[in-house]
Amino acid sequence: MIKLEPEILQAVEKPARYTGHELNAVHKDWDEVDCHFALAMADTYEVGMSNLGLKILYEVLNNRQDTACERVYAPWTDMEAIMRERSIPLFSLESFTEIKKFDFLGFTLQYEMIYSNILNMLDLAGIPIWAKDRNDEASFIVGGGPTVYNTEPIADFFDFFILGEGEEVISEVAETFVKWKREGKPGGRKGFLKEVAKLEGIYVPSFYNVKYNEKGYFSSIEPKEPEARAKIYKRVIKDLDSVHFVEKPVMPYIGIVHDRIMLELFRGCTRGCRFCQAGTSYRPIRERSREYLRGLARKLVDSSGYNEMSLTSLSSADYSCLGELVDDLFSDFEGEKVSFSLPSLRIDSFSIDLAHKLQQVRKSGLTFAPEAGTQRLRDVINKGVTEKNLMTAVEAAFKQGWKQVKLYFMMGLPTETDEDIVGIARLAEKVARKYKEVKGKWGVTVTISVSCFVPKPHTPFQWFGQLPKDEFERRQRLLKDSITERAVKFHYHDARVSVLEGAISRGDRRISQVIYQAWKDGAKFDGWTDLFKEDVWHEAFRKCGIDMKEYSERTRDFDEPLPWEHTTPGVSKDFLKREWNKAVAEQLTEDCRRGKCSGCGVCPSLKVDIVDWKRKEGEVKANV
Amino acid sequence: MYKYRAQLTKGDEIRYISHLDYAGVMERAIRRAKLPAAYTEGFNPHLKMSFASPLSLGVTSDAEYMDFELTKPLCQPEIFDKLSAALPPGIRLIKLKPVKEPKPCEGKKHKALMAEVEQGIYEVMAPLTGDWDAAVKAVEKYNGATEVNYHRVTPKKTRDIEVKQYMLEPVKIGMSGDLVKLTMNISITQTGSIKPAEILELLHNEYGLPVALGRALINRSKLMGQGKDLIDLV
Ligand code: SF4
């Protein structure tokens, strides 16, 4: 058991990050269980504690009699320095046990820029960084989460990955482990990996041979063990009412990023934005029932004491029974001073009315995501929103009393020209002027937040070469100079980070050397702008003899094998190609939720179907 | 409105959370307890609650006080049990009393909880690193001094504070197991006070008290006004 001296805790920022003992944390007797699972996020306590996936898996695992699940997050740099100086190993927040004593250390892979932190945590735990160096005693390092659809850049650090939704498979993993352990661990470490590889959705990277061609490009990946599948499909929950959801969240003593209840209405989004990886990786739409959600809301308010609840999903306003659900919640929690919020709004008046109803008096600000500045480019990305939609929505919002609007855009999308960039400024200005028109006076703030587009695996833009950093920066300047209205404020992302993300997210196994080198040379918390060390990363690419631009800026051939195709969310390459062709032809694709199936391949290949409580029976069926 | 005063602890588990965080934790506990709590008016309603003197980060306490209001009068045992059951590890409810508001004819209302605080008693435990006699001498020397200045540096400003004006009694020294135990009785005024950690720092740095500063633990054992425990003032 690790005990931190008062002088350590007095010396660090936010010491309660390291002291545990939160309400609803689960403490089990170490010797009473067979499987010890540490769930980790390679980011701060405040970020990690806000992650819904981890909350769910924590309960699923702890609901098993034979398993104890505990939490661990990345120590902040001040604490890390002390831990290294005093040789304090990474520890869990429940029993304060050394992490390397756990059977599993599972990382949620939220974004590429935390990879260096993963290595740092392994190192702090005293666990070998490379999977090949781990002996039979070492913990199994597991990864799962959003970036799992291209794990090659980190494949050599992990023992296995879980693709897709984890509620069922995480339990199967624990079960497989307990069985293997009780049988006396036949075959040692590899023996277990062979067993776990038999489960659907499990990818054991060491069971594959990777080849590259004479040009140095990835050419193939093939199983070398009989248990390894040639293609691994994600796991998907067919009926979300049938699996466990958070009921007793661990309650932090200090403020965290999302310090409120998160009620997940549904999974998936099939609006079909062509840049969006979440859109392809969480298909199809599966809604929870109104009754189930209502019951969950009650349990969560009672067990947490929170008075704020966020109705989360990729596009919450699309929940088919949202109006009714909100009415239910209003009546269930009448007099309890619980407030409800939607994390994102659709650009229409239904959303405005709803936001009005939810926010009642507090009109903090509305956020919309037109994503591109011109209709042409919005058609390219299949963002089915017109300028008219936006103007109608903001007009309604201004009439209801809102004074702040935030608009999200992306820069560097395929086919983008300077006209599209200037279009962002024009659109924002029109929104600002709409306020004047409605209210007869100025007084609005329109904030445009512009990120740099990073092409992602398993999207129709997966082949597209990302813009160079200088070009992003030129377009940022162009946009800045194009804004003439004082009411419009401009924020933009750091292009230096986006191009690195671009290289890593479409990287192959050779990128792991670069990540290792960068970490060795001091990279950590790369997602935190003030800690990001651009030169360390560039130097790491150079030291490894790898051209970063080959990964970020090179446009791939359609028929070129891609290093992420063997780990798939189920969308077919044909569908992605079709969508690319439609993108350049500026043609839209309908949402399959109510419209016709666009043949992405997910439903038939995973044997799932859409669950939408208001979709007329028999209207649309994917060819399951 | 029906007002109550609670005496609570801040245990070892949560010694490193701030005063503000402690208030947030109590707000959620009251909500979990399903008490008919009274809220402030306005866009962003908050529970009507107030606390006595804030505690420094790292200090535990047997004497945290919270006033809160209910919209319905419940009997004391019911509130006590419900609130106790909803508390997180690290907080215990020690006492609970209704606050009797004086009748209008009796003049003024109760003072704000914060304004009632006049005196705090703290215990400091720290490993002895030298001679026991030297430790006793250091404390005696400090107690005998007529004027002692502490140089307080905060991110905002730096100033010198005369410490002895806040010492209601001489610092007591004893042993508890193999730890040195110091008891400090400190005056808390509207215009200022001195923190037990600051006195310990002075004792160590200026008077040569041989203890391990970095391993010292401080606990507030009492908070008083008009010579009485705050819970007995209602
Ligand atoms: S298979 Fe058809 S219905 Fe299913 S998610 Fe894909 S496009 Fe939608």
Side-chain angles (χ1 to χ4, degrees):
Chain A
M1 197 173 119
I2 308 291
K3 184 128 178 61
L4 299 172
E5 292 293 344
E7 64 182 326
I8 296 177
L9 291 164
Q10 292 284 7
V12 297
E13 202 184 298
K14 302 192 189 170
R17 285 167 167 168
Y18 314 106
T19 53
H21 292 293
E22 301 93 336
L23 180 80
N24 297 338
V26 180
H27 298 93
K28 293 192 183 181
D29 190 335
W30 188 268
D31 299 322
E32 295 283 294
V33 295
D34 280 317
C35 174
H36 306 92
F37 210 119
L39 275 182
M41 163 94 105
D43 207 320
T44 61
Y45 176 87
E46 296 92 310
V47 177
M49 283 287 287
S50 301
N51 183 268
L52 183 60
L54 287 180
K55 288 178 204 272
I56 296 175
L57 297 183
Y58 182 80
E59 291 192 15
V60 169
L61 284 169
N62 274 320
N63 282 350
R64 291 184 64 90
Q65 284 272 314
D66 55 10
T67 303
C69 177
E70 307 197 3
R71 296 159 301 140
V72 59
Y73 307 107
W76 189 243
T77 51
D78 56 355
M79 184 59 151
E80 182 195 337
I82 295 176
M83 289 168 74
R84 290 194 183 278
E85 185 191 306
R86 303 193 179 204
S87 307
I88 300 169
L90 195 68
F91 57 87
S92 67
L93 289 178
E94 275 76 7
S95 61
F96 300 94
T97 303
E98 272 186 64
I99 290 302
K100 73 167 180 219
K101 295 203 174 136
F102 282 81
D103 301 308
F104 294 94
L105 172 57
F107 285 98
T108 175
L109 306 170
Q110 290 295 313
Y111 36 88
E112 289 80 2
M113 302 320 289
I114 55 170
Y115 290 169
S116 59
N117 268 21
I118 293 177
L119 305 202
N120 208 35
M121 284 177 76
L122 290 175
D123 187 56
L124 280 169
I127 296 170
I129 306 274
W130 300 96
K132 65 174 169 41
D133 297 333
R134 288 177 205 134
N135 61 18
D136 278 356
E137 307 312 311
S139 319
F140 290 103
I141 309 303
V142 197
T147 77
V148 85
Y149 298 109
N150 181 19
T151 54
E152 292 310 287
I154 46 170
D156 289 339
F157 307 124
F158 280 78
D159 293 298
F160 64 97
F161 293 99
I162 295 177
L163 267 71
E165 293 161 347
E167 286 97 336
E168 293 169 339
V169 63
I170 196 102
S171 208
E172 294 164 21
V173 167
E175 194 149 327
T176 306
F177 174 81
V178 170
K179 184 163 168 278
W180 171 75
K181 186 177 174 184
R182 288 187 185 152
E183 284 167 1
K185 304 191 174 180
R189 188 173 193 82
K190 192 168 174 189
F192 172 72
L193 291 175
K194 278 171 168 278
E195 284 306 308
V196 85
K198 290 183 194 160
L199 300 175
E200 297 208 36
I202 299 292
Y203 172 45
V204 181
S206 60
F207 287 179
Y208 296 79
N209 278 320
V210 186
K211 292 208 181 92
Y212 305 92
N213 65 19
E214 62 291 346
K215 275 197 270 177
Y217 299 155
F218 167 88
S219 65
S220 70
I221 182 161
E222 269 152 30
K224 58 180 178 188
E225 300 289 338
E227 291 80 3
R229 294 159 211 269
K231 198 166 192 162
I232 300 106
Y233 286 93
K234 75 167 179 190
R235 290 293 291 261
V236 62
I237 308 293
K238 292 186 175 145
D239 172 9
L240 283 177
D241 280 6
S242 73
V243 290
H244 185 82
F245 188 71
V246 186
E247 293 182 359
K248 291 178 82 183
V250 177
M251 294 299 296
Y253 285 112
I254 57 173
I256 58 171
V257 178
H258 297 295
D259 215 353
R260 59 188 71 89
I261 293 168
M262 283 183 272
L263 187 69
E264 187 193 41
L265 308 183
F266 62 92
R267 287 193 192 151
C269 169
T270 42
R271 299 195 147 243
C273 297
R274 294 179 177 126
F275 56 83
C276 180
Q277 196 184 30
T280 48
S281 51
Y282 294 98
R283 283 169 178 240
I285 301 273
R286 285 143 301 136
E287 295 187 335
R288 287 200 164 88
S289 68
R290 214 171 120 194
E291 298 71 41
Y292 186 60
L293 289 168
R294 216 171 152 174
L296 284 173
R298 177 81 270 164
K299 282 184 191 158
L300 282 159
V301 168
D302 291 354
S303 68
S304 71
Y306 274 132
N307 60 350
E308 253 188 276
M309 188 184 297
S310 172
L311 307 176
T312 65
S313 292
L314 287 171
S315 162
S316 297
D318 287 348
Y319 181 60
S320 64
C321 313
L322 190 56
E324 295 92 326
L325 177 69
V326 166
D327 288 340
D328 290 345
L329 294 175
F330 270 28
S331 75
D332 290 352
F333 294 99
E334 211 197 326
E336 293 184 48
K337 301 275 191 291
V338 179
S339 70
F340 303 91
S341 61
L342 293 171
S344 62
L345 286 183
R346 221 164 54 187
I347 305 181
D348 58 22
S349 47
F350 168 77
S351 294
I352 304 295
D353 290 345
L354 200 72
H356 176 62
K357 187 169 175 181
L358 294 177
Q359 299 213 342
Q360 305 291 352
V361 206
R362 234 186 325 162
K363 296 275 191 305
S364 46
L366 285 181
T367 302
F368 297 112
E371 309 288 7
T374 60
Q375 195 57 49
R376 186 199 67 81
L377 193 52
R378 284 194 295 274
D379 289 347
V380 168
I381 61 176
N382 201 41
K383 185 90 201 176
V385 164
T386 63
E387 186 173 316
K388 190 155 168 275
N389 296 147
L390 182 63
M391 289 306 149
T392 316
V394 294
E395 182 172 355
F398 295 149
K399 283 189 177 145
Q400 302 273 26
W402 269 283
K403 286 182 181 173
Q404 283 174 41
V405 177
K406 195 166 182 186
L407 302 174
Y408 280 113
F409 293 96
M410 250 180 281
M411 174 178 280
L413 289 161
T415 76
E416 184 180 85
T417 63
D418 285 0
E419 204 179 309
D420 300 304
I421 298 291
V422 175
I424 295 176
R426 293 294 91 84
L427 194 63
E429 287 169 357
K430 276 186 197 154
V431 170
R433 269 182 242 122
K434 186 56 128 189
Y435 184 87
K436 175 107 192 291
E437 191 189 309
V438 173
K439 294 285 189 181
K441 58 173 188 209
W442 290 104
V444 70
T445 317
V446 180
T447 307
I448 52 178
S449 177
V450 185
S451 62
C452 303
F453 174 59
V454 180
K456 291 283 163 100
H458 302 286
T459 66
F461 294 166
Q462 65 176 353
W463 295 278
F464 176 70
Q466 194 189 19
L467 291 189
K469 187 190 78 174
D470 295 344
E471 179 56 19
F472 274 125
E473 288 171 351
R474 186 192 68 83
R475 293 187 195 188
Q476 287 170 343
R477 283 191 302 274
L478 172 67
L479 178 51
K480 200 165 174 214
D481 295 340
S482 309
I483 300 168
T484 50
E485 212 61 90
R486 285 224 329 270
V488 177
K489 304 266 174 287
F490 176 34
H491 288 297
Y492 54 89
H493 279 205
D494 190 340
R496 300 173 311 154
V497 180
S498 303
V499 294
L500 176 61
E501 193 187 325
I504 296 177
S505 61
R506 288 187 295 171
D508 53 38
R509 276 198 197 187
R510 292 169 296 186
I511 292 290
S512 57
Q513 280 295 344
V514 179
I515 297 173
Y516 179 79
Q517 189 64 48
W519 165 72
K520 267 270 163 204
D521 294 342
K524 66 180 91 153
F525 286 106
D526 296 302
W528 297 68
T529 314
D530 40 340
L531 295 184
F532 176 62
K533 298 184 180 129
E534 188 191 16
D535 44 332
V536 164
W537 279 98
H538 285 291
E539 194 54 23
F541 274 99
R542 204 192 52 75
K543 283 185 186 165
C544 298
I546 290 178
D547 181 2
M548 180 172 146
K549 289 170 181 271
E550 277 290 337
Y551 288 90
S552 58
E553 293 175 24
R554 186 172 70 86
T555 295
R556 278 74 165 168
D557 284 339
F558 272 148
D559 45 16
E560 177 181 333
L562 299 169
W564 52 83
E565 287 170 331
H566 58 293
T567 47
T568 173
V571 286
S572 71
K573 198 168 185 170
D574 281 346
F575 167 76
L576 298 178
K577 273 189 211 165
R578 253 189 346 259
E579 283 297 300
W580 169 266
N581 290 328
K582 286 176 86 176
V584 287
E586 298 165 19
Q587 287 170 7
L588 296 178
T589 297
E590 225 185 328
D591 185 346
C592 65
R593 178 188 194 119
R594 299 273 165 80
K596 96 174 181 296
C597 167
S598 31
C600 79
V602 168
C603 296
S605 58
L606 302 178
K607 303 200 173 36
V608 268
D609 204 359
I610 294 175
V611 181
D612 174 336
W613 303 109
K614 294 234 173 124
R615 173 183 182 232
K616 284 191 209 81
E617 244 347 279
E619 198 172 66
V620 240
K621 272 265 177 250
N623 352 319
V624 176
Chain B
M1 290 303 150
Y2 304 88
K3 198 169 178 179
Y4 297 84
R5 178 166 296 177
Q7 183 184 355
L8 301 154
T9 65
K10 182 180 182 188
D12 187 51
E13 298 90 336
I14 57 163
R15 63 163 71 227
Y16 296 102
I17 75 170
S18 72
H19 181 63
L20 204 72
D21 289 330
Y22 188 86
V25 168
M26 281 312 301
E27 174 154 0
R28 293 195 285 271
I30 290 175
R31 298 177 55 84
R32 283 192 300 271
K34 304 261 164 231
L35 296 170
Y39 286 83
T40 58
E41 302 289 321
F43 299 162
N44 196 358
H46 273 282
L47 273 177
K48 286 193 177 169
M49 58 202 298
S50 60
F51 290 84
S53 174
L55 212 54
S56 311
L57 212 68
V59 178
T60 55
S61 174
D62 302 316
E64 291 307 284
Y65 298 87
M66 174 184 76
D67 284 356
F68 61 102
E69 290 178 35
L70 301 184
T71 56
K72 277 184 238 147
L74 296 185
C75 63
Q76 191 273 0
E78 184 180 352
I79 306 174
F80 191 95
D81 291 349
K82 283 187 169 164
L83 187 54
S84 292
L87 292 172
I91 302 183
R92 268 185 313 110
L93 177 59
I94 299 176
K95 278 184 184 164
L96 179 86
K97 284 187 176 179
V99 177
K100 289 187 280 308
E101 285 294 352
K103 294 193 192 78
C105 60
E106 288 172 327
K108 283 202 238 95
K109 291 217 297 189
H110 264 289
K111 276 206 272 186
L113 180 49
M114 186 96 87
E116 289 187 330
V117 180
E118 291 171 356
Q119 181 184 355
I121 298 178
Y122 295 86
E123 275 139 20
V124 181
M125 302 283 218
L128 187 64
T129 53
D131 209 34
W132 167 249
D133 291 338
V136 174
K137 284 228 176 62
V139 171
E140 274 170 5
K141 196 165 159 223
Y142 170 84
N143 285 337
T146 45
E147 199 187 304
V148 178
N149 281 304
Y150 180 77
H151 190 62
R152 184 182 285 167
V153 184
T154 65
K156 283 190 207 107
K157 61 178 178 204
T158 311
R159 61 190 179 114
D160 279 313
I161 295 162
E162 202 290 301
V163 175
K164 294 309 283 263
Q165 62 174 318
Y166 299 119
M167 301 303 300
L168 293 172
E169 275 176 30
V171 172
K172 288 194 206 73
I173 181 166
M175 282 301 273
S176 170
D178 47 7
L179 297 175
V180 173
K181 178 179 168 186
L182 302 169
T183 309
M184 302 174 183
N185 189 343
I186 299 170
S187 145
I188 299 168
T189 74
Q190 295 295 332
T191 51
S193 183
I194 187 82
K195 293 177 185 166
E198 294 169 337
I199 300 176
L200 180 67
E201 197 186 317
L202 279 172
L203 280 166
H204 178 270
N205 294 351
E206 317 264 322
Y207 293 86
L209 180 73
V211 292
L213 261 195
R215 288 164 65 199
L217 292 175
I218 303 174
N219 181 60
R220 177 196 273 164
S221 56
K222 251 182 182 1
L223 212 49
M224 305 196 287
Q226 302 165 41
K228 286 198 226 164
D229 196 305
L230 292 187
I231 196 80
D232 296 322
L233 283 179
V234 294

